[in-house]
Amino acid sequence: GNYVVKTSGSPLNMRNEPNGETKIAMIPNGSVITVSSYDGGWAYVKYGKFQGWVSSQYIEKAPESATVATTSTTATVQTTKP
């Protein structure tokens, strides 16, 4: 199902295996991800083109209206007032 990343503001590390040392991706706080399975305190998730393990303590069930990320990139737009 769909879940939302809930950290204190920092990105959530996606790893190659539960408790793994290798980081595959960093998922921004507030991102919607898809969880397909659990192993202890770890969840196997899909985020954009990446699939791997995240600590399940930093995710929570997403509201029905949430949309899953389709890319692994984020953009920051800055606007200046005239």
Side-chain angles (χ1 to χ4, degrees):
N2 293 345
Y3 285 74
V4 177
V5 173
K6 291 288 184 183
T7 66
S8 59
S10 58
L12 178 60
N13 292 320
M14 179 187 285
R15 301 186 183 276
N16 64 328
E17 58 188 37
N19 255 343
E21 293 293 321
T22 305
K23 294 178 190 174
I24 297 172
M26 294 172 60
I27 307 170
N29 184 44
S31 298
V32 179
I33 57 177
T34 302
V35 175
S36 58
S37 66
Y38 288 93
D39 183 357
W42 294 83
Y44 189 76
V45 305
K46 181 175 182 182
Y47 173 69
K49 65 181 180 177
F50 297 100
Q51 293 185 46
W53 296 91
V54 300
S55 176
S56 60
Q57 68 180 347
Y58 297 110
I59 60 175
E60 65 181 39
K61 188 75 173 149
E64 293 295 322
S65 61
T67 56
V68 175
T70 55
T71 68
S72 61
T73 59
T74 58
T76 301
V77 177
Q78 292 182 330
T79 58
T80 55
K81 295 182 180 179

